[in-house]
Amino acid sequence: MRASRLLPLAALAAIFTFSSCQEEEQAVSQDEISQLTLDQISELGFNTQQVERIAEGYLVEGDIILTEENLRGSAEAKALRVGEEEQYRTSNLVNVGTSRTINIAITTSLPSSYVTALDEAIRRFNAENLRIKFRRVSSGYNILVSKAPSGSSYLASAGFPSGGNPYNSIKVNSDYLGSSPGTSYLATILAHEIGHTIGFRHTDYMNRSYSCGGAYYNEGASTVGAIHIPGTPTGPDPNSWMLACIGTGQNRPFNSNDRTALNYLY
């Protein structure tokens, strides 16, 4: 998730300075991303602009992590509804059966205010009485919330489910957010990343500029990896918790369309 460009506080991309290097034709940078990898990312239905190499794999679309396992796997082909802002999910979901509880831990390197915000994010999900539940634990976790590397260009990041299990890591940019960013604001960010770990894509997948500002930006049309959730709107949804960007201090609890999407999947 990234900070919205529409608010006075500039996006992280404007705050953090990035360096680039020009490579000789024969020299290949360790951080260079091969065309094969970009093709694999594209085939999975993700935009290949501004892909970043990170420790876990590759960061795409601002806050989504794709691992090497994701790139090797073959996603199930699904019909994609194109051209409107709707709720989307990935081809991978969490296996819940009749019910399942996902344990989430948070590292002690993050301030206590982050624990409070995580508890609020968990409360929001559990209040919906879904088949999937969440619980904060100190050990035996399925998902670990930890500090993002210094200099990261995102507010927070996470990946998608694999093998019927949620993605196991959420990274939060506490250097940017500070020690006390506001419970509702941070809970919205954490709930957004939890959404990714259980298979949700961005609500404004087909036009990222809706929440991020700037020119029209399609995150990547494909027949896989972005499946419209029936019952969600075919027009813009200004308050969805899964919009790609968020303004500083903004609170986005689940709206009625979010609840429709959550109940349809879980």
Side-chain angles (χ1 to χ4, degrees), residues 32-251:
E32 184 179 0
I33 299 171
S34 70
Q35 187 59 50
L36 174 61
T37 297
L38 292 175
D39 290 343
Q40 290 173 317
I41 291 171
S42 178
E43 287 170 6
L44 286 173
F46 297 93
N47 193 281
T48 56
Q49 297 181 31
Q50 299 178 332
V51 175
E52 297 179 37
R53 186 189 296 276
I54 59 175
E56 298 90 339
Y58 303 92
L59 188 76
V60 302
E61 298 176 10
D63 71 332
I64 298 169
I65 295 171
L66 294 180
T67 64
E68 294 290 350
E69 181 183 357
N70 294 146
L71 299 186
R72 287 193 301 268
S74 58
E76 178 186 359
K78 298 285 185 179
L80 174 69
R81 187 168 184 169
V82 177
E84 299 160 319
E85 289 81 8
E86 302 152 328
Q87 294 278 7
Y88 288 89
R89 70 172 177 89
T90 67
S91 301
N92 297 330
L93 296 175
V94 175
N95 294 335
V96 296
T98 56
S99 66
R100 182 176 178 182
T101 297
I102 304 299
N103 292 330
I104 306 179
I106 183 168
T107 61
T108 56
S109 61
L110 290 170
S112 60
S113 60
Y114 286 58
V115 177
T116 302
L118 177 59
D119 286 344
E120 169 59 17
I122 289 173
R123 185 202 65 77
R124 292 182 184 187
F125 281 100
N126 291 344
E128 299 305 316
N129 295 314
L130 306 169
R131 289 180 296 125
I132 192 170
K133 307 290 184 184
F134 297 91
R135 175 176 58 193
R136 180 167 62 82
V137 298
S138 57
S139 62
Y141 59 83
N142 305 111
I143 302 171
L144 179 65
V145 180
S146 59
K147 184 180 183 299
S150 297
S152 296
S153 62
Y154 49 82
L155 290 178
S157 68
F160 292 126
S162 176
N165 295 311
Y167 189 77
N168 63 6
S169 175
I170 294 173
K171 298 290 180 66
V172 187
N173 193 342
S174 55
D175 288 341
Y176 174 78
L177 290 166
S179 61
S180 185
T183 299
S184 296
Y185 173 49
L186 184 53
T188 297
I189 293 170
L190 293 173
H192 178 103
E193 301 307 329
I194 292 172
H196 283 320
T197 70
I198 62 174
F200 282 89
R201 288 201 65 170
H202 292 141
T203 304
D204 49 350
Y205 162 85
M206 294 307 299
N207 184 6
R208 186 184 177 88
S209 67
Y210 182 70
S211 68
C212 300
Y216 174 89
Y217 179 71
N218 184 321
E219 288 187 347
S222 172
T223 56
V224 296
I227 305 160
H228 173 232
I229 299 174
T232 59
T234 57
D237 189 1
N239 298 310
S240 173
W241 108 101
M242 287 308 296
L243 290 172
C245 291
I246 187 170
T248 301
Q250 190 172 3
N251 180 28

